[in-house]
Amino acid sequence: MSKMIRLTKDEFRVLEDKTRKINKELVRLEKSPMKESEMLHKILLDAIEKAEINRDGEVVLGS
């Protein structure tokens, strides 16, 4: 089942910048670059695994 997620312009700009930076490194390592959607899926899965609640009741990314 697929769902859509909306990003703000700022969120998408940050994603584009991070994707560009990581893709430069991937190319340098002779690996295939990633699309923004692939990058976002990877980041979301990793972040969800690390999501926790701190003492103040805020959602934070643990290790």
Side-chain angles (χ1 to χ4, degrees), residues 27-54:
V27 169
R28 189 185 70 75
L29 295 170
E30 299 181 1
K31 304 284 183 182
S32 297
M34 299 173 76
K35 294 186 271 184
E36 283 97 356
S37 60
E38 295 170 321
M39 184 73 61
L40 186 56
H41 284 287
K42 173 71 174 141
I43 291 168
L44 280 174
L45 287 175
D46 290 349
I48 290 167
E49 295 266 332
K50 295 177 181 180
E52 300 173 350
I53 300 291
N54 68 13

Side-chain angles (χ1 to χ4, degrees), residues 1-62:
M1 173 193 311
S2 69
K3 297 281 183 179
M4 300 228 357
I5 184 169
R6 290 181 186 225
L7 300 176
T8 65
K9 289 179 184 178
D10 287 339
E11 291 166 338
F12 190 74
R13 182 188 48 77
V14 170
L15 176 61
E16 282 181 315
D17 291 346
K18 181 58 80 172
T19 301
R20 203 173 301 113
K21 180 179 177 182
I22 288 174
N23 279 338
K24 284 180 185 178
E25 186 65 18
L26 286 172
V27 169
R28 189 185 70 75
L29 295 170
E30 299 181 1
K31 304 284 183 182
S32 297
M34 299 173 76
K35 294 186 271 184
E36 283 97 356
S37 60
E38 295 170 321
M39 184 73 61
L40 186 56
H41 284 287
K42 173 71 174 141
I43 291 168
L44 280 174
L45 287 175
D46 290 349
I48 290 167
E49 295 266 332
K50 295 177 181 180
E52 300 173 350
I53 300 291
N54 68 13
R55 290 183 180 163
D56 297 324
E58 301 168 326
V59 177
V60 295
L61 298 181

